[in-house]
């Protein structure tokens, strides 16, 4: 999808790079993240309204430190350098960076020396978030200091004539109280962006492109019922109607009644052609006796391809395969996240289309998850689909620890349903990023009706998070946890003990396996 107006974000490995992109898009301006080693052709082929240089873990003086082509600074395109990006600007323009400066991490009071352009409308003592080891010790020529803190006398610089700016702090994080205003000033006041990037404009442009690409041919979509595939299916149906054929596969490790709900919603509410395949027996037979979580994932992935390939073969006139690939998937798969990071392959990026000889349609490969949800709302998809907590591809197979069987899966389904019902009833569901139950391969002694029991233990997990990269355990009220525990033990035969996981990520992960 070609966007006439965009901001180019150059990534130097900062943990906040995707956050920069999300903030810019929230302002109504389209942007893309590119690795630091991008060619200048990528810039000049479709000239951006502005360039943002991200932070990063390196020192500009390290051997092999990531750089951009020097000619980038000579383009007549506004540039904003953040942290490491600021230091690159300084070094290029004969400034100096002190590698021995005291590391500064956390909140700081920003004293603004000039409230024009970049800091227009920003309080003179705004709170910002610092995270750096190096800092500027000499301002580059033709630049001026426009803000400082108690520990950083050169905290923000400007060359108004060249429209090049740099800040030592991170305006993209929520801890920088007026960071959104600062980014808005850059993209609108300095870059002169018009805006207009919103769900409705995305839908209109996508429908036009899908129709032009597909023509009269048929598209197959693997519909799991999750947010991404659900919104993709509805968008495609808006574009091409019954040329879309969805396939939903019950792999036996989904939540209670989930497949029935998917079929009912998409056949009866959205009137989308849908083939339902109950492949429970095949999946569970192949998973029998397997306890290693990575092996479970491989088996489920391979089995899904086998089943999907067989079902798709029935539609011989299908030429396209639709996937719910998101922008973070693309970034992780084809971009360096810094100079020494490993490129990660994602299950939605590659693999299946090559084997099945389909042309690929990925309508959301430029969107973040929250943008997909906003598109879904614009398309009229109900909240119980759009606002669902994340659910892993391997499903309950990695929430039953150890080898799995039907009885354990059914038990966990009942536990999970009670858990989610109660946190919804308590008004806690929307405050939680992800909540789920885990069946432990542990039995313990209990007492029920004066009789001894020896039954399973389940662990409840609930976390709060902005993006899943880090997470804290959710402070569900004790009274709610008490109701959940009582209901599970009283209503689910086979469970006599409930525990609550209070570990954060890191060091723990959100899922147990």
């Amino acid at each position: 999808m070609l966007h006439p107006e965009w901001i180019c974000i150059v990534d130097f490995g900062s943990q906040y790079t995707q956050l920069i992109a999300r903030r810019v898009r929230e302002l109504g301006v389209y942007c893309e993240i590119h690795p630091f080693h991008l060619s200048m052709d990528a810039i000049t082929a479709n000239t951006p309204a502005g360039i943002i240089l991200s932070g990063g873990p390196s020192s500009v003086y390290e051997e092999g430190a990531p750089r951009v082509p020097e000619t980038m600074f000579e383009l007549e395109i506004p540039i904003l350098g953040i942290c490491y990006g600021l230091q690159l600007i300084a070094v290029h323009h004969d400034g100096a960076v002190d590698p021995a400066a005291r590391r500064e991490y956390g909140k700081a009071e920003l004293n603004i020396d000039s409230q024009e352009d970049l800091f227009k409308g920003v309080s003179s003592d705004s709170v910002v978030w610092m995270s750096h080891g190096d800092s500027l010790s000499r301002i580059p020529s033709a630049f001026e200091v426009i803000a400082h803190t108690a520990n950083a006398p050169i905290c923000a610089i400007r060359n108004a004539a060249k429209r090049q700016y740099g800040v030592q702090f991170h305006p993209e994080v929520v801890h920088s109280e007026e960071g959104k205003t600062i980014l808005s000033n850059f993209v609108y006041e300095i870059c002169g962006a018009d805006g207009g990037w919103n769900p409705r404009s995305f839908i209109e442009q996508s429908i036009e492109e899908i129709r032009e690409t597909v023509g009269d041919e048929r598209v197959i979509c693997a519909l799991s019922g999750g947010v991404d595939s659900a919104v993709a299916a509805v968008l495609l149906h808006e574009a091409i109607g019954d040329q879309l054929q969805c396939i939903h596969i019950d792999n036996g490790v989904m939540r209670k009644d989930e497949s029935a709900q998917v079929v009912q919603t998409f056949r009866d509410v959205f009137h989308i052609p849908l083939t339902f395949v109950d492949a429970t027996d095949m999946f569970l037979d192949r998973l029998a006796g397997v306890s290693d979580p990575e092996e479970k994932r491989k088996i489920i992935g391979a089995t899904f391809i086998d089943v999907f390939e067989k079902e798709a073969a029935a539609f011989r006139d299908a030429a396209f395969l639709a996937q719910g690939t998101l922008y973070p998937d693309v970034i992780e798969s084809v971009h360096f996240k810094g100079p020494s990071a490993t490129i990660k392959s994602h299950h939605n990026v590659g693999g299946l289309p090559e084997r099945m000889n389909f042309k690929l349609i990925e309508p959301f490969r430029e969107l973040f998850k929250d943008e997909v949800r906003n598109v879904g709302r614009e398309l009229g998809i109900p909240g119980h689909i759009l606002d669902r907590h994340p659910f892993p591809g391997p499903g309950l197979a990695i929430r039953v620890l150890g080898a799995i069987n039907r009885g354990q899966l059914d038990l966990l389904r009942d536990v999970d349903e009670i858990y989610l019902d109660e946190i919804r009833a308590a008004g806690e569901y929307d405050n939680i990023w992800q909540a789920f139950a885990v069946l432990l391969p542990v039995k313990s002694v209990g007492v029920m009706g004066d009789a001894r029991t020896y039954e399973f233990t389940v662990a409840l997990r609930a976390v709060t998070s902005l993006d899943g990269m880090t997470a804290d355990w959710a402070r569900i009220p004790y009274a709610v946890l008490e109701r959940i525990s009582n209901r599970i033990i009283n209503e689910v035969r086979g469970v006599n003990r409930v525990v609550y996981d209070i570990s954060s990520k890191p060091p723990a992960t959100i899922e147990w396996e």
Side-chain angles (χ1 to χ4, degrees), residues 40-357:
M40 291 306 297
D41 290 343
I43 296 289
T44 56
N46 181 26
T47 304
I51 298 170
I52 298 177
L53 308 178
S54 85
S58 302
S59 168
V60 288
Y61 294 123
E62 287 177 4
E63 184 178 350
R67 298 291 181 95
V68 292
E70 296 295 305
T71 51
M72 179 180 290
F73 296 104
E74 308 311 317
L75 298 173
E76 294 184 0
I77 300 173
I79 295 176
L80 172 64
I82 296 175
C83 202
Y84 184 84
L86 160 72
Q87 295 158 21
L88 280 180
I89 291 173
V91 170
H92 174 78
H93 292 288
D94 70 27
V97 175
D98 182 2
R102 180 173 64 85
R103 178 175 172 79
E104 189 175 15
Y105 183 86
K107 293 181 180 179
E109 185 177 289
L110 183 70
N111 303 121
I112 297 175
D113 302 309
S114 172
Q115 289 183 299
E116 300 171 359
D117 45 49
L118 189 65
F119 294 135
K120 181 180 178 180
V122 178
S123 306
S124 58
D125 55 354
S126 189
V127 172
V128 295
W129 184 259
M130 296 287 205
S131 179
H132 65 95
D134 298 351
S135 61
L136 268 64
S137 56
R138 185 179 72 242
I139 187 171
S141 57
F143 280 76
E144 60 181 318
V145 177
I146 56 175
H148 65 277
T149 69
N151 292 320
I154 308 175
C155 192
I157 61 174
R158 168 181 67 196
N159 181 327
K162 283 196 168 187
R163 296 185 294 170
Q164 293 184 10
Y165 299 76
V167 295
Q168 186 64 75
F169 58 90
H170 289 273
E172 68 274 21
V173 304
V174 294
H175 307 296
S176 292
E177 294 176 350
E178 297 177 88
K180 195 167 184 178
T181 300
I182 295 169
L183 290 172
S184 177
N185 285 338
F186 178 69
V187 299
Y188 284 111
E189 298 289 332
I190 296 168
C191 299
D194 295 322
W197 169 255
N198 56 58
R200 176 44 54 186
S201 66
F202 172 82
I203 291 168
E204 291 171 356
Q205 187 173 356
S206 295
I207 287 175
E208 183 179 332
E209 289 188 1
I210 290 168
R211 287 173 177 167
E212 183 178 339
T213 301
V214 172
D216 296 328
E217 296 185 281
R218 181 174 288 192
V219 178
I220 291 178
C221 176
L223 180 62
S224 69
V227 173
D228 306 332
S229 67
V231 180
V234 175
L235 176 64
L236 285 159
H237 195 246
E238 285 267 323
I240 59 173
D242 290 352
Q243 289 172 249
L244 173 68
Q245 177 64 47
C246 290
I247 298 174
H248 174 72
I249 299 169
D250 185 348
N251 57 16
V253 291
M254 301 178 73
R255 287 171 285 204
K256 191 169 185 176
D257 300 327
E258 189 161 21
S259 284
Q261 293 168 6
V262 170
V263 172
Q264 189 274 330
T265 298
F266 287 89
R267 280 183 180 168
D268 300 344
V269 177
F270 291 110
H271 309 292
I272 294 175
L274 173 64
T275 297
F276 169 64
V277 183
D278 186 353
T280 298
D281 290 345
M282 179 185 292
F283 278 88
L284 296 190
D285 286 348
R286 293 186 180 184
L287 287 166
V290 178
S291 59
D292 179 76
E294 286 305 308
E295 189 62 25
K296 291 178 185 177
R297 287 185 173 89
K298 291 176 183 177
I299 290 171
I300 290 170
T303 305
F304 176 85
I305 291 175
D306 289 344
V307 175
F308 189 83
E309 187 175 32
K310 178 182 177 182
E311 295 300 323
F315 304 100
R316 297 186 180 278
D317 57 341
F320 294 90
L321 175 70
Q323 291 191 152
T325 307
L326 300 186
Y327 194 38
D329 305 335
V330 175
I331 295 168
E332 290 176 352
S333 297
V334 300
H335 290 246
F336 280 106
K337 298 299 294 175
S340 61
T342 301
I343 300 176
K344 174 187 172 186
S345 178
H346 188 273
H347 67 276
N348 270 351
V349 184
L352 187 58
E354 291 180 15
R355 171 171 171 170
M356 298 180 66
N357 200 30

